[in-house]
């Protein structure tokens, strides 16, 4: 093709842009219905309309996406890559409409066809490629990076099956596969041009090269292809559209010759398909490593494809990998992608033939590692046997990293054998295994915790030896959430009231909400605020009626605990308080009580016996209390099935009280706590994770804090905690537990809850439920009496929202960009003739 002819094509494309007025949107919508989807007036269903609408939006994202990518490429900017095995993205359509700034116009366009964008949005399945907080954090970070116009890209796995769908049957959790891609996902673009070969198994062969240096080749491997699928991540009305690139496993096109030769063509193809299971399913465990070979395969598959892609992109614009630290920052979301460090070293040393010392010097400034948990049982530990079989060369490299590291620390800390053992990447006993956290710390230039308390605890406890060696490596980055999704989209009523009162700048600068403070004591503003909450509660009440068939009173206090079901999060303590209230009413039907609706939602890992038993208990308690004429008008208990991002968006806006009651020292940060505060709920919580910082921001008078703090928990544990001792001093608690033992809630199976009693009383109550119980009940009483003063409650609610500014993920990301990644904002250059949004 001649140059002028190429120009003809590209000027046609680049000098054009799609208009977004009502008529243009309608025209696009109609075209997609017919030309993309082949629909007629007789065959169009709601899903088709959703899909057409998604395509209308996608077209408009595409222009800005290409301009953004070209700008990053042309300017050869430093980029940050956020590596995460989980992205809990939720729905894309309404978010894209909002960020493109075409939500009102789309509403008008669809209204002419008798459609509504909210109805269509709700047809979209959630992209649920994560378990909970860690995956949702990654999604909020992508949103903030795009909104801050940072050249940031997410990398992950395109699981065919995201987090399972939870159904409650007879009060028990059951799991159903979540085939979210079943009808196609309009927001992804397949990129067949980006495919990489991923190697597994095989052996390492050593040889001398021409210069006489010892070299290693990884040979006789099994191969799988990684195929890129890109999802656009639009910034808020700023022309930036970043990318999250998800890898899916595909078989290679080579045949196993043995099978092929004996004529078993179908058998050979079947063998290929087997390799594609690598990207088939997300492991549904939150905070507990799976330890399975398939999981390790997923981790390496993801890491290898990503590192190859990063190096390919780097080399297009740079003469060699030697300046990579100037152009590339890689953030490891937990240790799941920590094999990246070994993979990058392997490529530098074996493929690029760079000397070890130089390679290491390039590697460390590129990586940074985020730790997400204090619980040592949650740290990844890969048996050496597994690694030596699956990734023999990487194991050698990890040994080499460790060998050099240990040599260093033996010089710094001579005669401290125990310290060397603790800091080694290799655990020797009870079985030889690789400590992924140690690898991540040694291979990174920064290590961060996700709240002040968590960072202090990892510095002083979990990673104390490393902090001693490299104090400057450790940094604190308190988590955040995106206000675009968690207020603007989730709670349009409150967002509207806020914008009418203090303007719209809060959408990109959450500290602007401080301007609400003067209105906290304003009676008419308070009434408007209260009205919004009531309307939101009525909406949720309708949903509860529809889903659970339970009638709830929207004027009752909505007391909500929604998060993964985990013993350390202590849903059980919440239940014990409900039983306490139930007993109170039963024993004394005339005592006045503040009506409450207790709402729970959350998934348990399918193999987590205690967590599943707690779900059953909540549902049994609900059944009994909701049907007891003496109690049902005073307290109601609701378990909403299938907690996910889109359900969360419906629940947070309706909350009066946020339950953040983890055992102090165990919740690294929490982000649900921030979503509640943003939406004007008051918190009852322990001094744990980011609760402490929420307390600092909103003030002691506007939050309910109870229970032991992290130091007291530790002291009590070391001095010998005896839950039975508490029981002897509390006849009330004794009676509450008695109800469980007596089978009052488990009519057909008397000792159903025996394991709960055992764990609380005879197995040490590891999560200190008994120790905190009384303090929690007392605190709940204060909550109740404040709720009786609605004006005062509302005032505190407004103050909570007004002081939530710090917890925007925009603030978090700005800190990472400045202090960890060294990346700067880049404005996309909009092609001539296209209209910029700013
Ligand atoms: C925010 C969020 C979480 C994290 O909640 P925590 O209370 O911080 O554990 C988990 N799942 C979903 C769907 C969320 O939106």
């Amino acid at each position: 093709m001649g140059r002028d002819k190429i120009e003809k094509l590209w000027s046609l494309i680049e000098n054009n842009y799609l208009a977004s007025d009502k008529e243009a949107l309608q025209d696009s919508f109609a075209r997609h219905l017919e030309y993309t989807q082949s629909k007629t007036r007789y065959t169009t269903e709601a899903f088709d309309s959703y899909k057409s609408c998604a395509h209308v939006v996608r077209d408009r994202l595409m222009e800005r996406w290409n301009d953004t990518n070209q700008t990053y490429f042309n300017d050869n900017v430093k980029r940050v890559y956020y590596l995460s095995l989980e992205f809990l993205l939720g729905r894309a359509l309404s978010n894209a409409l909002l960020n493109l700034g075409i939500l009102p116009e789309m509403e008008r366009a669809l209204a002419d066809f008798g459609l509504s964008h909210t109805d269509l949005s709700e047809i979209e399945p959630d992209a649920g490629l994560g378990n909970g907080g860690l995956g949702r954090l990654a999604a909020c970070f992508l949103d903030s990076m795009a909104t801050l116009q940072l050249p940031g890209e997410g990398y992950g796995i395109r699981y065919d099956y995201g987090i399972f769908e939870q159904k409650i049957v007879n009060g028990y959790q059951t799991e159903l596969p979540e085939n979210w891609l079943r009808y196609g996902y309009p927001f992804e673009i397949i990129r067949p041009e980006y495919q990489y070969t991923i190697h597994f198994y095989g052996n390492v062969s050593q040889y001398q090269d021409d210069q006489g240096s010892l070299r290693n080749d990884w040979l006789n491997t099994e191969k799988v292809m990684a195929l890129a699928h890109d999802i656009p991540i639009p910034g808020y009305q700023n022309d930036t559209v970043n990318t999250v690139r998800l890898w899916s496993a595909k078989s290679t096109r080579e045949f196993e010759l043995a099978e092929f030769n004996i004529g078993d063509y179908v058998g050979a193809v079947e063998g290929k398909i087997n390799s594609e299971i690598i990207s088939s399913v997300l492991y549904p465990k939150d905070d507990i490593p799976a330890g399975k070979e398939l999981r390790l395969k997923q981790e390496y598959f993801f890491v290898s494809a990503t590192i190859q892609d990063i190096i390919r992109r780097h080399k297009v614009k740079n003469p060699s990998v030697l300046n990579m630290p100037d152009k590339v920052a890689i953030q490891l979301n937990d240790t799941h992608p920590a094999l990246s460090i070994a993979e990058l070293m392997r490529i530098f040393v074996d493929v690029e033939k760079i000397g070890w010392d130089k390679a290491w010097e390039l590697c460390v400034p590129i990586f940074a590692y985020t730790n997400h948990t204090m619980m040592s049982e949650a740290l990844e530990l890969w048996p050496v046997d597994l690694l030596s079989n699956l990734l023999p060369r990487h194991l050698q490299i990890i040994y080499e990293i460790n060998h050099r590291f240990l040599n260093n620390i033996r010089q710094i800390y001579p005669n401290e054998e125990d310290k060397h053992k603790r800091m080694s990447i290799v655990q020797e006993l009870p079985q030889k295994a690789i400590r992924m956290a140690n690898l991540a710390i040694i291979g990174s230039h920064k290590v961060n915790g996700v709240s002040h308390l968590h960072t202090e605890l990892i510095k002083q406890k979990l990673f104390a030896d490393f902090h001693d060696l490299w104090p400057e490596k450790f940094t604190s980055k308190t988590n955040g959430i995106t206000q675009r999704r968690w207020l603007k989209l989730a709670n349009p009523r409150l967002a509207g009231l806020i914008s009418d009162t203090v303007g719209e700048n809060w959408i990109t600068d959450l500290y602007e909400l401080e301007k609400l403070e003067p209105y906290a004591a304003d009676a008419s503003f308070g009434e408007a605020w209260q009205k919004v909450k009531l309307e939101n509660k009525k909406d949720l009440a309708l949903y509860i009626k529809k889903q659970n068939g339970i009638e709830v009173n929207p004027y009752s206090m909505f007391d909500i605990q929604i998060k993964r079901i985990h013993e350390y999060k202590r849903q059980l303590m919440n239940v014990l308080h409900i039983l306490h209230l139930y007993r109170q009413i039963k024993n004394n039907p005339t005592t006045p009580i503040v009506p409450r609706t207790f709402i729970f939602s959350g998934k348990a890992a399918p193999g987590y016996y205690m967590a599943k038993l707690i779900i059953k208990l909540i549902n049994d308690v609900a059944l009994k209390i909701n049907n007891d004429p003496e109690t049902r008008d005073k307290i109601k208990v609701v378990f909403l099935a299938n907690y996910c991002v889109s359900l969360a968006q419906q629940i947070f806006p309706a909350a009066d009280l946020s339950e953040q009651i983890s055992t102090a020292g165990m919740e690294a940060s929490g982000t649900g706590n921030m979503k509640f505060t943003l939406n004007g709920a008051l918190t009852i919580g322990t001094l744990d994770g980011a609760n402490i910082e929420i307390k600092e921001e909103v003030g002691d008078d506007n939050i309910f804090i109870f229970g032991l703090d992290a130091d007291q928990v530790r002291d009590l544990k070391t001095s010998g905690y005896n839950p039975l001792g508490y029981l002897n001093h509390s006849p009330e608690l004794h009676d509450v537990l008695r109800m469980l033992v007596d089978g009052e809630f488990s009519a057909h199976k008397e000792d159903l809850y025996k394991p709960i009693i055992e764990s609380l009383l005879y197995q040490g109550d590891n999560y200190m439920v008994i120790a905190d119980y009384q303090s929690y009940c007392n605190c709940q009483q204060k909550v109740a009496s404040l709720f009786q003063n609605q004006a005062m409650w509302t005032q505190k609610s407004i103050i909570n929202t007004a002081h939530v500014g710090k917890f925007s993920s925009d603030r978090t990301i700005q800190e990472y960009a400045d202090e960890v990644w060294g990346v700067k904002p880049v404005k996309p250059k909009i092609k001539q003739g296209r209209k910029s949004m700013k």
Side-chain angles (χ1 to χ4, degrees):
M1 252 202 294
R3 220 193 125 62
D4 53 332
K5 293 193 175 160
I6 295 175
E7 263 319 301
K8 184 169 175 166
L9 169 64
W10 288 104
S11 67
L12 198 61
I13 292 174
E14 292 171 357
N15 292 324
N16 250 313
Y17 68 94
L18 295 168
S20 292
D21 55 279
K22 188 175 99 174
E23 285 71 29
L25 295 177
Q26 289 178 337
D27 186 61
S28 285
F29 180 83
R31 279 168 189 271
H32 278 298
L33 210 51
E34 174 158 36
Y35 299 124
T36 309
Q37 304 204 74
S38 175
K39 286 293 161 178
T40 67
R41 66 169 69 227
Y42 304 109
T43 60
T44 299
E45 296 183 10
F47 188 81
D48 306 309
S49 297
Y50 149 70
K51 226 168 164 175
S52 277
C53 187
H55 276 284
V56 173
V57 170
R58 190 177 100 161
D59 289 344
R60 283 149 184 83
L61 286 171
M62 210 65 82
E63 298 165 337
R64 290 158 182 90
W65 202 6
N66 287 335
D67 289 347
T68 303
N69 282 331
Q70 278 196 40
T71 305
Y72 292 165
F73 178 81
N74 289 336
D75 296 358
N76 191 19
V77 298
K78 181 170 187 179
R79 307 189 197 218
V80 55
Y81 299 107
Y82 196 83
L83 271 57
S84 179
L85 236 52
E86 303 190 14
F87 286 95
L88 204 50
L89 296 167
R91 290 176 177 147
L93 177 58
S94 45
N95 185 248
L97 284 166
L98 171 69
N99 285 11
L100 283 171
I102 60 172
L103 212 147
E105 207 59 24
M106 182 64 88
E107 205 159 2
R108 280 190 283 276
L110 291 172
D112 283 358
F113 303 149
L115 298 168
S116 95
H117 86 269
T118 36
D119 291 352
L120 294 187
S121 297
E122 282 169 19
I123 295 170
E124 182 178 340
D126 272 36
L129 308 182
N131 276 289
L134 175 146
R136 183 54 228 174
L137 183 74
C140 283
F141 280 4
L142 294 178
D143 183 86
S144 286
M145 286 191 278
T147 294
L148 294 173
Q149 303 198 291
L150 294 169
E153 186 163 338
Y155 274 105
I157 292 181
R158 178 180 176 271
Y159 302 106
D160 299 316
Y161 296 89
I163 187 67
F164 62 84
E165 183 189 340
Q166 178 193 56
K167 280 231 158 79
I168 302 299
V169 180
N170 268 332
Y172 290 100
Q173 166 175 302
T174 59
E175 301 93 22
L176 298 174
E178 172 59 337
N179 189 357
W180 69 295
L181 295 166
R182 188 164 36 220
Y183 304 118
Y185 183 58
F187 289 96
E188 69 177 1
I189 302 283
I190 185 165
R191 304 279 192 203
E193 65 272 37
Y194 300 124
Q195 278 193 63
Y196 300 97
T197 306
I198 314 299
H199 300 263
F200 294 107
Y201 306 108
N203 57 283
V204 180
S205 126
Q206 257 193 0
Y207 67 98
Q208 277 201 339
D209 68 9
D210 304 343
Q211 278 81 46
S213 308
L214 218 47
R215 296 280 172 205
N216 292 280
D217 267 349
W218 181 19
L219 303 170
N220 306 312
T221 53
E222 284 181 21
K223 301 180 190 73
V224 181
M225 303 304 293
L227 172 60
H229 291 72
D230 289 353
I231 298 175
I233 306 291
Y236 182 74
Q237 300 181 10
N238 64 3
D239 291 324
T240 294
V241 178
N242 284 341
T243 303
V244 58
R245 175 161 288 178
L246 304 178
W247 301 107
S248 123
K250 291 282 158 204
S251 66
T252 61
R253 299 186 47 168
E254 297 161 28
F255 274 112
E256 299 308 322
L257 276 177
E259 280 162 48
F260 197 58
N261 285 344
I262 59 168
D264 188 7
Y265 170 74
V266 170
V269 172
E270 273 178 1
K272 300 270 105 186
I273 291 169
N274 251 331
S275 59
E276 300 186 358
I277 65 164
I278 291 178
S279 59
S280 68
V281 59
L282 165 78
Y283 275 91
K285 289 186 173 175
D286 186 59
D287 264 339
I288 320 167
K292 298 279 195 325
E293 189 189 52
L294 182 60
R295 170 68 176 198
L296 184 59
K297 272 189 166 172
Q298 286 185 337
E299 292 186 356
Y300 180 65
F301 165 81
F302 160 55
V303 153
S304 174
T306 302
I307 297 291
Q308 289 186 64
D309 198 38
I310 291 172
I311 292 179
R312 176 208 43 90
R313 183 177 297 116
H314 180 80
K315 283 187 164 178
V316 181
K317 291 294 276 192
N318 299 277
S320 78
V321 296
L322 293 175
N323 69 335
M324 263 182 69
D326 300 332
K327 298 293 175 187
V328 173
I330 296 177
Q331 189 67 38
L332 306 173
N333 194 22
D334 212 313
T335 60
H336 316 147
L339 282 171
S340 309
I341 294 165
E343 175 72 350
L344 190 61
M345 281 302 284
R346 185 185 69 82
I347 293 176
F348 282 167
V349 172
D350 293 359
V351 182
E352 301 291 332
K353 313 259 191 280
I354 297 171
W356 182 281
D357 290 330
K358 180 67 196 171
W360 188 246
E361 194 186 299
L362 293 175
C363 212
V364 175
I366 291 175
F367 289 104
Y369 155 56
T370 304
N371 172 271
H372 283 273
T373 177
M374 262 306 288
M375 295 180 291
S376 49
E377 66 271 24
L379 296 180
E380 279 193 298
L381 202 57
W382 287 111
V384 161
D385 291 345
L386 210 57
L387 270 169
S388 75
N389 185 40
L390 190 71
L391 300 167
R393 180 60 186 140
H394 294 80
L395 183 62
Q396 288 181 346
I397 288 170
I398 291 168
Y399 279 154
E400 184 64 26
I401 294 170
N402 198 41
H403 175 71
R404 289 163 183 256
F405 171 71
L406 289 177
N407 279 347
N408 280 342
I409 63 165
R410 283 194 190 105
Q411 294 192 346
I412 301 170
Y413 309 105
N415 314 318
E416 291 189 58
E417 194 63 24
D418 283 349
K419 196 180 183 79
H420 307 157
K421 276 189 185 151
R422 289 195 303 267
M423 296 178 83
S424 173
I425 299 175
V426 184
Q427 167 193 284
E428 297 290 340
L429 292 169
Q431 72 170 328
K432 209 166 163 169
I434 300 301
R435 296 168 173 148
M436 299 300 276
N438 294 30
L439 173 64
I441 296 169
I442 294 165
S444 298
H445 73 293
K446 289 284 174 194
V447 175
N448 75 283
V450 290
S451 68
H452 288 324
L453 174 69
H454 172 233
T455 305
E456 282 311 304
L457 290 174
I458 64 175
K459 286 183 348 189
Q460 290 157 22
K461 304 270 146 211
L462 198 61
F463 302 140
D465 294 310
F466 289 104
H467 178 247
D468 197 34
L469 176 65
W470 293 313
E472 69 294 342
K473 219 183 237 204
F474 287 79
T475 174
S476 181
K477 296 284 164 279
T478 299
N479 282 165
I481 55 168
T482 168
Q483 66 268 31
R484 269 82 60 191
R485 183 174 294 263
W486 295 111
L487 181 53
K488 181 86 176 117
L489 282 176
N491 196 346
R493 290 190 187 100
L494 194 64
L497 175 61
I498 291 171
S499 294
D500 289 346
T501 310
V502 299
E504 287 211 310
N505 289 341
W506 62 269
I507 299 173
T508 50
D509 177 5
L510 200 60
Y511 287 110
E512 283 278 313
L513 291 183
E514 281 171 16
K515 293 183 177 162
L516 287 172
E517 171 91 45
Y519 295 88
D522 177 325
S524 72
F525 184 76
E527 270 170 41
W529 188 270
Q530 232 172 309
K531 186 159 174 286
V532 164
K533 185 61 80 183
L534 181 64
E535 293 302 312
N536 291 341
K537 288 165 76 176
K538 285 180 178 167
D539 282 355
L540 186 60
L542 281 177
Y543 181 82
I544 291 170
K545 174 76 184 157
K546 191 167 128 237
Q547 295 298 315
N548 294 33
I550 301 170
E551 204 87 54
V552 304
N553 172 8
Y555 293 90
S556 67
M557 183 201 305
F558 279 22
D559 176 338
I560 306 187
Q561 188 171 22
I562 49 175
K563 47 182 76 241
R564 286 297 287 241
I565 313 293
H566 230 300
E567 283 164 286
Y568 84 81
K569 291 176 184 279
R570 299 200 292 192
Q571 280 91 356
L572 183 55
M573 194 166 70
N574 190 339
V575 175
L576 295 184
H577 170 248
I578 297 171
L579 296 182
H580 157 74
L581 292 182
Y582 177 67
R583 251 180 45 82
Q584 254 188 353
I585 303 168
K586 293 299 280 184
N587 289 346
N588 204 341
T590 56
T591 31
I593 181 160
V594 175
R596 292 202 203 206
T597 302
F598 295 93
I599 297 167
F600 294 86
S601 193
K603 293 172 181 175
Y608 190 168
Y609 175 78
M610 279 301 263
K612 292 179 104 169
L613 190 56
I614 290 165
I615 292 178
K616 171 66 173 160
L617 174 62
I618 294 168
N619 284 302
D620 283 352
V621 167
L623 199 63
K624 175 115 183 172
I625 292 182
N626 299 343
N627 292 303
D628 185 330
E630 265 185 328
T631 54
R632 69 184 172 199
D633 295 331
K634 295 175 177 159
I635 52 178
K636 281 267 162 67
V637 180
V638 175
F639 188 96
L640 285 171
N642 202 37
Y643 186 51
C644 58
V645 172
S646 55
L647 179 54
Q649 287 177 224
Q650 294 188 68
I651 300 176
F652 286 111
D656 293 309
L657 187 66
S658 158
E659 298 272 353
Q660 306 301 333
I661 58 178
S662 53
T663 316
M666 293 200 151
E667 187 76 89
S669 163
T671 50
N673 47 5
M674 301 167 187
K675 298 167 199 165
F676 277 112
T677 305
L678 180 64
N679 284 281
L682 271 58
T683 301
I684 182 166
T686 47
L687 289 173
D688 200 14
N691 298 350
I692 296 174
E693 291 160 71
I694 293 175
K695 169 175 167 289
E696 286 166 9
E697 296 296 307
V698 305
D700 296 2
D701 293 342
N702 301 301
I703 189 167
F704 296 95
I705 298 292
F706 70 92
L708 303 171
D709 67 19
D711 287 340
Q712 292 167 330
V713 166
R714 192 201 48 215
D715 292 347
L716 186 54
K717 279 192 174 168
T718 46
S719 68
Y721 167 50
N722 175 20
L724 284 173
Y726 289 76
L727 203 60
N728 297 335
H729 290 104
S730 171
E732 201 278 329
L733 174 59
H734 192 273
D735 291 347
V736 162
L737 294 180
R738 194 79 244 160
M739 294 201 284
L740 295 185
V741 180
D742 288 349
E744 205 172 313
F745 298 94
S746 49
H748 304 293
K749 250 185 115 183
E750 255 194 33
D751 48 7
L752 184 61
Y753 302 118
K754 204 167 159 201
I756 291 178
I757 300 294
E758 294 276 319
S759 141
L760 289 178
L761 301 183
Y762 309 109
Q763 289 158 14
D765 181 21
N766 280 311
Y767 304 95
M768 322 297 264
V769 172
I770 302 293
D772 274 345
Y773 171 79
Q774 198 53 55
S775 167
Y776 179 58
C777 287
N778 296 345
C779 194
Q780 283 286 22
Q781 214 157 5
K782 290 188 200 152
V783 171
S785 63
L786 180 70
F787 197 74
Q788 285 175 303
N789 183 344
Q790 276 294 298
M792 189 66 100
W793 182 281
T794 303
Q795 192 169 331
K796 290 181 193 289
S797 162
I798 297 166
I799 291 173
N800 266 264
T801 302
H803 291 281
V804 81
K806 175 178 175 183
F807 304 103
S808 169
S809 45
D810 298 344
R811 187 270 314 150
T812 315
I813 286 297
Q814 191 64 57
E815 289 179 10
Y816 278 100
D818 293 342
E819 298 164 33
V820 180
W821 303 331
V823 295
K824 296 261 167 339
V826 176
K827 291 199 190 314
K829 291 185 185 65
I830 301 306
K831 290 287 183 310
Q832 213 184 359
R834 287 189 183 173
K835 198 173 74 176
S836 163
M837 286 200 271
K838 276 214 170 140

